[in-house]
Amino acid sequence: MSQSSSRYHEVYQSWRNDPEAFWGEAARDVSWYKLWDQVLDPYMGQYGRWFAGAECNTAYNCLDRHVEAGRGDQPALIYDSPVTDTVRTYTYSELTDEVATLAAALVDIGVKRGDRVVLYMPMIPEAVMGMLACARIGAVHSVVFGGFAANELAARIDDAKPVAILSASCGIEGSRVVQYKPLLDQAIEVAQNKPKACLILQRDQAVANMIPGRDYDWAEVIADLKGRSRKADPVAVKATDPLYILYTSGTTGQPKGVVRDNGGHMVALKWTMKNFYDISPGEVFWAASDVGWVVGHSYICYAPLLHGATTLVYEGKPVGTPDAGAFWRVISQHNVVALFTAPTAFRAIKKEDPEGTFIGKYDLSNLRTLFLAGERADPATIQWAEAKLKVPVIDHWWQTETGWAIAGNPVGLGLLPVKYGSPTVAMPGYDLRVLDESGQEVPAGEHGTITIKLPLPPSCLPTLWGDDQRFRDSYLSQFEGYYSTSDAGYVDENGYVYVMARTDDVINVAGHRLSTGQMEEVVATHPDVAECAVIGVADQLKGQLPAGFLVLNSGVNRDSKDIEAEIVKLVRAEIGPVAAFKNVMVVPRLPKTRSGKILRATMRKIADGEDWKMPATIDDPAILDEIKTVLDGRRAAG
Ligand code: COA
Ligand code: AMP
């Protein structure tokens, strides 16, 4: 398709001409109890707030609104779980009833508007119901990904201070049953803030021990409420009230509580469904992510339902449940029109089925588009997917902080020509500027930090939970008047964005955002470790993998293999299996600058086999040779 047939430039320009008119118009697609006083109040909050003065309810817009409009019998949510051999569909009426009942359960537990509720759940419909039930009564949910360990859960509990926790007895990882309840119990024990109540969904694969007076059986509570037809109605909340907190990795061990509001979030997400993803109400949209990540929040739970589409909750993996044809089976069985996943999922499929043999076994005629995000989409993966699926493959770049695409190729507005390696162009709402270290804009094609000129568009975080100062320090203080994405890259002369690397200690492992700084904090607690560095090294499947370099305390003469194994176990126990921390090695010394800063970037280049220059500030150049020798030894050992 040629560039001229896309409406993108015209629409982007209309946003530039009058941002408030643009978002005010988009907001007409949402149902409000009270309209806003101002589309953007520039003086409210940290950089302005969207739809100030308005009142709304997100769950009402996701559910009741469609039932009232006559879509009650349309499928709202399809649950497909190859790991439990289950397929179940909920219509909009059924999902509304389930959510209204669960919302009543929360009210009965004592959850009030503004209270927080933590969810620690596998990929089952009850996770989505839990999120919507909170939204319905104005409570603020915080979903914690199941791959995080008890300590990580505890850190989030202590920051969010939930009144209640929703969880399940277990998750299922391929053929492995992961017991969630012992992790939850341990987290609550460690946490300073104890929730009043836990609602626990008992699954057949594992029965959780219940703590009397604190734990309630989900199914029993719901059955009792249904027997009494007790439901909770949606309540009016402020557009600027928080809908959820989603913790994401920052530079340190303390995760950042990204806050999402109600009004702006609905407006932006609803806009994307047609204009970006080209989805019509009634169509099946599948984001093969997890509700624990932002993609799951925005595109498993909220956006498809706001739009009256059908969402798909998939409890399985791209490979191994049972094979590399899993995605194609789901697409054909449920008439999926668009799939959204991370490039790593495609690399996993390609590794198992390089010829794409499984693809030919299924009818994929309904599939129109594949969307990729969460990490840099390598051109080889995009080209393989294009060749095998014969649909447009759309890379788009976003962050937990934004909740929707910063840059992408807007299918709904008409495709722009694809340039491999670029997620295409800035979306309306985002005024991207690439800045050098002194805050000067660099010319097209030159590298720098990619920033967004304030204000951020609707749906982007207004602040970090309970910490305005950290929000300003993390995002706004480096370049006055701009939000720093902490992604480095460039914009070419046609406005195409290239996102190349993070400027901080964040790495991206299998589409999961992780902090190497946090891993270092954990590794450093081992009694034999004097100092350590964790870096992200390139990996063909997962994009990046963490690698830990340890210097042992003098006098330690234990077998370094034992210490390395203990450290792998420690990180798994403290952060969780999601860290995929398996690669650790003892080295004699760490390379540093004369002022004592560890030269992580140079270490990464050596580990990745890239060209590297001896840093001028290095204290002792011989140390880099020592590191190279250890790495070469590891490679030789396979
Ligand atoms: N609960 C408990 N454990 C979990 C978990 C969960 N929800 N999710 C992952 N884990 C575990 C895995 O079982 C694995 O454990 P192991 O070390 O014992 O094997 C570990 O955490 C690492 O998981 P992951 O890195 O995801 O590897 P994997 O081999 O299980 O799967 C992929 C690899 C590529 C299939 C998978 O990572 C994937 O589908 N990624 C897409 C990510 C995504 O959707 N990102 C959101 C942006 S779209
Ligand atoms: P998360 O907050 O987990 O969504 O991770 C956001 C980070 O993932 C971004 O800051 C980027 O570093 C990276 N990322 C996400 N999508 C892309 C993409 N399409 N291209 C390049 N990097 C991406």
Short mmCIF file of all heavy atoms in Angstrom, two decimals, residues 452-503:
data_model
loop_
_atom_site.label_atom_id
_atom_site.label_comp_id
_atom_site.label_asym_id
_atom_site.label_seq_id
_atom_site.Cartn_x
_atom_site.Cartn_y
_atom_site.Cartn_z
N ILE A 452 9.52 12.42 24.96
CA ILE A 452 8.19 12.87 24.54
C ILE A 452 7.99 14.25 25.13
O ILE A 452 8.11 14.43 26.36
CB ILE A 452 7.09 11.90 25.04
CG1 ILE A 452 7.36 10.47 24.52
CG2 ILE A 452 5.71 12.40 24.63
CD1 ILE A 452 6.59 9.39 25.26
N LYS A 453 7.68 15.22 24.27
CA LYS A 453 7.45 16.58 24.77
C LYS A 453 6.16 16.57 25.58
O LYS A 453 5.15 16.01 25.14
CB LYS A 453 7.34 17.54 23.58
CG LYS A 453 7.41 18.98 23.96
CD LYS A 453 7.70 19.82 22.71
CE LYS A 453 7.92 21.26 23.05
NZ LYS A 453 6.78 21.92 23.67
N LEU A 454 6.21 17.15 26.77
CA LEU A 454 5.03 17.16 27.63
C LEU A 454 3.96 18.08 27.06
O LEU A 454 4.30 19.02 26.34
CB LEU A 454 5.43 17.62 29.04
CG LEU A 454 6.37 16.65 29.78
CD1 LEU A 454 6.83 17.26 31.10
CD2 LEU A 454 5.69 15.31 30.03
N PRO A 455 2.69 17.82 27.30
CA PRO A 455 2.17 16.76 28.17
C PRO A 455 2.15 15.41 27.47
O PRO A 455 2.05 15.35 26.25
CB PRO A 455 0.73 17.23 28.43
CG PRO A 455 0.34 17.95 27.17
CD PRO A 455 1.60 18.64 26.72
N LEU A 456 2.21 14.35 28.29
CA LEU A 456 2.00 13.01 27.76
C LEU A 456 0.54 12.88 27.36
O LEU A 456 -0.33 13.52 27.94
CB LEU A 456 2.34 11.97 28.83
CG LEU A 456 3.81 11.88 29.24
CD1 LEU A 456 3.96 11.03 30.50
CD2 LEU A 456 4.63 11.30 28.10
N PRO A 457 0.22 12.03 26.39
CA PRO A 457 -1.18 11.88 25.98
C PRO A 457 -2.01 11.09 26.99
O PRO A 457 -1.46 10.50 27.92
CB PRO A 457 -1.07 11.11 24.66
CG PRO A 457 0.22 10.41 24.71
CD PRO A 457 1.14 11.25 25.55
N PRO A 458 -3.34 11.07 26.80
CA PRO A 458 -4.19 10.28 27.68
C PRO A 458 -3.70 8.84 27.78
O PRO A 458 -3.17 8.29 26.80
CB PRO A 458 -5.55 10.32 26.98
CG PRO A 458 -5.54 11.57 26.17
CD PRO A 458 -4.11 11.77 25.76
N SER A 459 -3.92 8.23 28.93
CA SER A 459 -3.54 6.85 29.30
C SER A 459 -2.15 6.76 29.88
O SER A 459 -1.86 5.81 30.62
CB SER A 459 -3.68 5.85 28.13
OG SER A 459 -2.94 4.70 28.40
N CYS A 460 -1.27 7.70 29.55
CA CYS A 460 0.08 7.63 30.11
C CYS A 460 0.05 7.91 31.61
O CYS A 460 -0.86 8.58 32.11
CB CYS A 460 1.01 8.63 29.43
SG CYS A 460 1.33 8.18 27.73
N LEU A 461 1.05 7.42 32.31
CA LEU A 461 1.04 7.53 33.77
C LEU A 461 1.04 8.99 34.22
O LEU A 461 1.82 9.80 33.70
CB LEU A 461 2.23 6.78 34.38
CG LEU A 461 3.64 7.39 34.38
CD1 LEU A 461 4.58 6.55 35.20
CD2 LEU A 461 4.17 7.64 33.01
N PRO A 462 0.13 9.34 35.15
CA PRO A 462 0.17 10.70 35.70
C PRO A 462 1.27 10.83 36.75
O PRO A 462 1.77 11.92 37.00
CB PRO A 462 -1.21 10.88 36.32
CG PRO A 462 -1.73 9.49 36.55
CD PRO A 462 -1.05 8.58 35.58
N THR A 463 1.63 9.68 37.38
CA THR A 463 2.65 9.69 38.43
C THR A 463 2.99 8.26 38.80
O THR A 463 2.46 7.31 38.20
CB THR A 463 2.16 10.47 39.67
OG1 THR A 463 3.26 10.67 40.56
CG2 THR A 463 1.03 9.75 40.40
N LEU A 464 3.90 8.08 39.76
CA LEU A 464 4.14 6.76 40.35
C LEU A 464 3.38 6.71 41.67
O LEU A 464 3.27 7.72 42.37
CB LEU A 464 5.63 6.55 40.59
CG LEU A 464 6.49 6.42 39.32
CD1 LEU A 464 7.97 6.36 39.67
CD2 LEU A 464 6.09 5.19 38.50
N TRP A 465 2.88 5.54 41.99
CA TRP A 465 2.01 5.39 43.16
C TRP A 465 2.70 5.91 44.43
O TRP A 465 3.77 5.43 44.80
CB TRP A 465 1.61 3.91 43.34
CG TRP A 465 0.72 3.70 44.52
CD1 TRP A 465 1.03 3.09 45.70
CD2 TRP A 465 -0.66 4.11 44.63
NE1 TRP A 465 -0.05 3.09 46.54
CE2 TRP A 465 -1.10 3.71 45.91
CE3 TRP A 465 -1.56 4.77 43.78
CZ2 TRP A 465 -2.40 3.95 46.35
CZ3 TRP A 465 -2.85 5.01 44.22
CH2 TRP A 465 -3.26 4.61 45.49
N GLY A 466 2.09 6.93 45.00
CA GLY A 466 2.58 7.47 46.28
C GLY A 466 3.94 8.13 46.20
O GLY A 466 4.58 8.34 47.23
N ASP A 467 4.42 8.43 45.01
CA ASP A 467 5.78 8.95 44.92
C ASP A 467 5.97 9.91 43.74
O ASP A 467 6.64 9.60 42.76
CB ASP A 467 6.76 7.76 44.82
CG ASP A 467 8.14 8.10 45.36
OD1 ASP A 467 8.43 9.32 45.50
OD2 ASP A 467 8.92 7.18 45.63
N ASP A 468 5.36 11.10 43.87
CA ASP A 468 5.49 12.12 42.82
C ASP A 468 6.96 12.47 42.57
O ASP A 468 7.37 12.72 41.45
CB ASP A 468 4.76 13.40 43.23
CG ASP A 468 3.24 13.21 43.26
OD1 ASP A 468 2.74 12.24 42.64
OD2 ASP A 468 2.56 14.03 43.91
N GLN A 469 7.73 12.49 43.67
CA GLN A 469 9.13 12.88 43.53
C GLN A 469 9.91 11.88 42.67
O GLN A 469 10.66 12.25 41.77
CB GLN A 469 9.77 12.99 44.93
CG GLN A 469 11.17 13.56 44.91
CD GLN A 469 11.22 14.97 44.31
OE1 GLN A 469 10.39 15.82 44.65
NE2 GLN A 469 12.15 15.22 43.40
N ARG A 470 9.65 10.58 42.93
CA ARG A 470 10.35 9.56 42.12
C ARG A 470 9.90 9.64 40.66
O ARG A 470 10.69 9.43 39.74
CB ARG A 470 10.08 8.15 42.68
CG ARG A 470 10.94 7.10 42.01
CD ARG A 470 10.84 5.73 42.67
NE ARG A 470 11.70 4.77 41.99
CZ ARG A 470 11.54 3.46 42.03
NH1 ARG A 470 10.54 2.94 42.73
NH2 ARG A 470 12.35 2.65 41.39
N PHE A 471 8.63 9.97 40.45
CA PHE A 471 8.13 10.14 39.08
C PHE A 471 8.92 11.25 38.38
O PHE A 471 9.42 11.07 37.27
CB PHE A 471 6.63 10.47 39.10
CG PHE A 471 6.09 10.86 37.75
CD1 PHE A 471 5.89 9.90 36.77
CD2 PHE A 471 5.80 12.18 37.45
CE1 PHE A 471 5.40 10.25 35.51
CE2 PHE A 471 5.31 12.55 36.20
CZ PHE A 471 5.12 11.58 35.23
N ARG A 472 9.05 12.39 39.07
CA ARG A 472 9.78 13.51 38.46
C ARG A 472 11.24 13.15 38.24
O ARG A 472 11.80 13.38 37.18
CB ARG A 472 9.67 14.77 39.33
CG ARG A 472 8.29 15.41 39.29
CD ARG A 472 8.31 16.79 39.92
NE ARG A 472 8.58 16.74 41.35
CZ ARG A 472 7.66 16.61 42.30
NH1 ARG A 472 6.38 16.54 41.96
NH2 ARG A 472 7.99 16.57 43.57
N ASP A 473 11.84 12.51 39.27
CA ASP A 473 13.26 12.15 39.16
C ASP A 473 13.50 11.13 38.04
O ASP A 473 14.49 11.21 37.32
CB ASP A 473 13.77 11.55 40.48
CG ASP A 473 13.80 12.57 41.59
OD1 ASP A 473 13.68 13.78 41.29
OD2 ASP A 473 13.93 12.17 42.77
N SER A 474 12.59 10.17 37.92
CA SER A 474 12.81 9.09 36.96
C SER A 474 12.58 9.53 35.52
O SER A 474 13.22 9.03 34.61
CB SER A 474 11.86 7.92 37.22
OG SER A 474 12.00 7.44 38.51
N TYR A 475 11.59 10.42 35.33
CA TYR A 475 11.15 10.66 33.96
C TYR A 475 11.27 12.10 33.48
O TYR A 475 11.42 12.34 32.29
CB TYR A 475 9.68 10.23 33.79
CG TYR A 475 9.40 8.80 34.15
CD1 TYR A 475 8.78 8.46 35.35
CD2 TYR A 475 9.75 7.77 33.28
CE1 TYR A 475 8.51 7.14 35.67
CE2 TYR A 475 9.48 6.44 33.59
CZ TYR A 475 8.86 6.13 34.79
OH TYR A 475 8.60 4.83 35.09
N LEU A 476 11.10 13.07 34.40
CA LEU A 476 10.95 14.46 33.95
C LEU A 476 12.17 15.33 34.21
O LEU A 476 12.29 16.40 33.60
CB LEU A 476 9.72 15.11 34.62
CG LEU A 476 8.38 14.38 34.49
CD1 LEU A 476 7.26 15.25 35.04
CD2 LEU A 476 8.07 13.98 33.06
N SER A 477 13.04 14.91 35.13
CA SER A 477 14.07 15.86 35.55
C SER A 477 15.28 15.89 34.60
O SER A 477 16.00 16.88 34.56
CB SER A 477 14.53 15.56 36.98
OG SER A 477 15.14 14.30 37.00
N GLN A 478 15.49 14.83 33.82
CA GLN A 478 16.69 14.81 32.97
C GLN A 478 16.62 15.90 31.90
O GLN A 478 17.59 16.58 31.61
CB GLN A 478 16.85 13.43 32.33
CG GLN A 478 18.23 13.23 31.73
CD GLN A 478 18.36 11.88 31.03
OE1 GLN A 478 17.45 11.05 31.08
NE2 GLN A 478 19.48 11.68 30.36
N PHE A 479 15.43 16.04 31.30
CA PHE A 479 15.24 17.05 30.24
C PHE A 479 13.98 17.84 30.58
O PHE A 479 12.88 17.31 30.48
CB PHE A 479 15.07 16.37 28.88
CG PHE A 479 16.18 15.42 28.52
CD1 PHE A 479 15.96 14.05 28.50
CD2 PHE A 479 17.44 15.90 28.19
CE1 PHE A 479 16.97 13.16 28.15
CE2 PHE A 479 18.47 15.01 27.85
CZ PHE A 479 18.23 13.65 27.83
N GLU A 480 14.16 19.08 30.97
CA GLU A 480 13.01 19.88 31.40
C GLU A 480 11.97 20.01 30.28
O GLU A 480 12.30 20.37 29.14
CB GLU A 480 13.50 21.26 31.83
CG GLU A 480 12.35 22.08 32.32
CD GLU A 480 12.71 22.90 33.55
OE1 GLU A 480 13.86 22.82 34.03
OE2 GLU A 480 11.82 23.60 33.99
N GLY A 481 10.72 19.69 30.62
CA GLY A 481 9.63 19.82 29.63
C GLY A 481 9.45 18.56 28.78
O GLY A 481 8.58 18.54 27.90
N TYR A 482 10.23 17.54 29.07
CA TYR A 482 10.14 16.30 28.28
C TYR A 482 10.08 15.09 29.22
O TYR A 482 10.71 15.10 30.29
CB TYR A 482 11.37 16.12 27.38
CG TYR A 482 11.54 17.24 26.39
CD1 TYR A 482 12.20 18.42 26.76
CD2 TYR A 482 11.04 17.13 25.10
CE1 TYR A 482 12.34 19.46 25.87
CE2 TYR A 482 11.19 18.17 24.20
CZ TYR A 482 11.84 19.32 24.59
OH TYR A 482 11.98 20.35 23.70
N TYR A 483 9.41 14.05 28.75
CA TYR A 483 9.41 12.76 29.42
C TYR A 483 10.50 11.93 28.77
O TYR A 483 10.52 11.76 27.54
CB TYR A 483 8.04 12.09 29.23
CG TYR A 483 7.98 10.60 29.52
CD1 TYR A 483 7.61 10.12 30.77
CD2 TYR A 483 8.26 9.66 28.52
CE1 TYR A 483 7.54 8.76 31.03
CE2 TYR A 483 8.19 8.30 28.77
CZ TYR A 483 7.84 7.86 30.03
OH TYR A 483 7.76 6.51 30.28
N SER A 484 11.43 11.41 29.57
CA SER A 484 12.48 10.56 29.00
C SER A 484 11.99 9.12 28.97
O SER A 484 11.57 8.57 29.99
CB SER A 484 13.75 10.65 29.84
OG SER A 484 14.65 9.65 29.39
N THR A 485 12.04 8.50 27.79
CA THR A 485 11.58 7.11 27.68
C THR A 485 12.64 6.13 28.18
O THR A 485 12.35 4.95 28.31
CB THR A 485 11.29 6.74 26.20
OG1 THR A 485 12.51 6.83 25.45
CG2 THR A 485 10.22 7.63 25.60
N SER A 486 13.87 6.62 28.41
CA SER A 486 15.02 5.75 28.72
C SER A 486 15.31 4.77 27.59
O SER A 486 15.99 3.77 27.78
CB SER A 486 14.82 4.97 30.03
OG SER A 486 14.80 5.86 31.11
N ASP A 487 14.77 5.03 26.43
CA ASP A 487 15.14 4.28 25.23
C ASP A 487 15.97 5.20 24.36
O ASP A 487 15.62 6.37 24.15
CB ASP A 487 13.89 3.84 24.45
CG ASP A 487 13.31 2.53 24.97
OD1 ASP A 487 14.09 1.60 25.21
OD2 ASP A 487 12.07 2.45 25.14
N ALA A 488 17.08 4.64 23.83
CA ALA A 488 17.92 5.41 22.93
C ALA A 488 17.62 4.98 21.50
O ALA A 488 17.23 3.84 21.26
CB ALA A 488 19.38 5.17 23.26
N GLY A 489 17.80 5.91 20.58
CA GLY A 489 17.56 5.57 19.18
C GLY A 489 17.56 6.82 18.34
O GLY A 489 18.14 7.84 18.74
N TYR A 490 16.91 6.76 17.20
CA TYR A 490 16.87 7.93 16.32
C TYR A 490 15.59 7.96 15.52
O TYR A 490 14.83 6.97 15.48
CB TYR A 490 18.09 7.96 15.40
CG TYR A 490 18.21 6.79 14.45
CD1 TYR A 490 17.76 6.88 13.13
CD2 TYR A 490 18.78 5.59 14.85
CE1 TYR A 490 17.87 5.80 12.25
CE2 TYR A 490 18.89 4.51 13.99
CZ TYR A 490 18.44 4.61 12.69
OH TYR A 490 18.54 3.55 11.84
N VAL A 491 15.34 9.11 14.90
CA VAL A 491 14.18 9.27 14.02
C VAL A 491 14.75 9.65 12.66
O VAL A 491 15.59 10.56 12.58
CB VAL A 491 13.23 10.37 14.56
CG1 VAL A 491 12.08 10.61 13.59
CG2 VAL A 491 12.68 9.99 15.93
N ASP A 492 14.33 8.99 11.59
CA ASP A 492 14.93 9.30 10.29
C ASP A 492 14.20 10.48 9.62
O ASP A 492 13.25 11.04 10.19
CB ASP A 492 15.01 8.04 9.39
CG ASP A 492 13.66 7.63 8.80
OD1 ASP A 492 12.67 8.39 8.96
OD2 ASP A 492 13.60 6.55 8.18
N GLU A 493 14.64 10.83 8.43
CA GLU A 493 14.11 12.04 7.78
C GLU A 493 12.63 11.91 7.42
O GLU A 493 11.94 12.90 7.20
CB GLU A 493 14.95 12.42 6.56
CG GLU A 493 15.03 11.42 5.43
CD GLU A 493 15.87 10.16 5.75
OE1 GLU A 493 16.54 10.10 6.82
OE2 GLU A 493 15.84 9.24 4.94
N ASN A 494 12.08 10.67 7.41
CA ASN A 494 10.64 10.48 7.15
C ASN A 494 9.84 10.32 8.43
O ASN A 494 8.67 9.92 8.38
CB ASN A 494 10.41 9.25 6.27
CG ASN A 494 11.14 9.34 4.96
OD1 ASN A 494 11.96 8.50 4.64
ND2 ASN A 494 10.88 10.40 4.22
N GLY A 495 10.47 10.54 9.57
CA GLY A 495 9.75 10.43 10.83
C GLY A 495 9.68 9.01 11.36
O GLY A 495 8.98 8.74 12.35
N TYR A 496 10.38 8.07 10.75
CA TYR A 496 10.39 6.69 11.25
C TYR A 496 11.30 6.61 12.47
O TYR A 496 12.42 7.13 12.46
CB TYR A 496 10.88 5.71 10.17
CG TYR A 496 9.80 5.33 9.19
CD1 TYR A 496 9.19 6.29 8.38
CD2 TYR A 496 9.39 4.01 9.06
CE1 TYR A 496 8.20 5.94 7.49
CE2 TYR A 496 8.40 3.65 8.15
CZ TYR A 496 7.80 4.61 7.37
OH TYR A 496 6.83 4.26 6.49
N VAL A 497 10.79 5.95 13.51
CA VAL A 497 11.50 5.87 14.78
C VAL A 497 12.30 4.57 14.82
O VAL A 497 11.80 3.52 14.38
CB VAL A 497 10.48 5.85 15.95
CG1 VAL A 497 11.18 5.87 17.29
CG2 VAL A 497 9.51 7.00 15.83
N TYR A 498 13.51 4.62 15.34
CA TYR A 498 14.32 3.40 15.53
C TYR A 498 14.68 3.33 17.01
O TYR A 498 15.33 4.24 17.52
CB TYR A 498 15.59 3.45 14.66
CG TYR A 498 15.26 3.32 13.19
CD1 TYR A 498 14.76 4.41 12.47
CD2 TYR A 498 15.41 2.11 12.53
CE1 TYR A 498 14.42 4.28 11.13
CE2 TYR A 498 15.08 1.98 11.19
CZ TYR A 498 14.58 3.06 10.50
OH TYR A 498 14.24 2.93 9.18
N VAL A 499 14.20 2.28 17.69
CA VAL A 499 14.43 2.14 19.12
C VAL A 499 15.53 1.10 19.29
O VAL A 499 15.34 -0.07 18.97
CB VAL A 499 13.14 1.67 19.83
CG1 VAL A 499 13.35 1.59 21.34
CG2 VAL A 499 11.97 2.59 19.49
N MET A 500 16.68 1.53 19.77
CA MET A 500 17.85 0.65 19.71
C MET A 500 18.22 0.01 21.05
O MET A 500 18.59 -1.15 21.09
CB MET A 500 19.07 1.43 19.18
CG MET A 500 18.81 2.16 17.85
SD MET A 500 18.16 1.09 16.57
CE MET A 500 19.59 0.12 16.17
N ALA A 501 18.17 0.75 22.14
CA ALA A 501 18.65 0.19 23.42
C ALA A 501 18.13 1.03 24.57
O ALA A 501 17.79 2.20 24.39
CB ALA A 501 20.17 0.20 23.44
N ARG A 502 18.11 0.44 25.75
CA ARG A 502 17.75 1.19 26.94
C ARG A 502 18.97 2.00 27.40
O ARG A 502 20.11 1.58 27.22
CB ARG A 502 17.35 0.23 28.07
CG ARG A 502 16.06 -0.50 27.87
CD ARG A 502 14.82 0.32 28.11
NE ARG A 502 14.72 0.91 29.43
CZ ARG A 502 13.57 1.38 29.93
NH1 ARG A 502 12.44 1.34 29.23
NH2 ARG A 502 13.54 1.91 31.13
N THR A 503 18.69 3.13 28.01
CA THR A 503 19.79 3.94 28.53
C THR A 503 20.02 3.66 30.01
O THR A 503 20.87 4.27 30.64
CB THR A 503 19.49 5.44 28.36
OG1 THR A 503 18.28 5.72 29.08
CG2 THR A 503 19.34 5.83 26.91
#
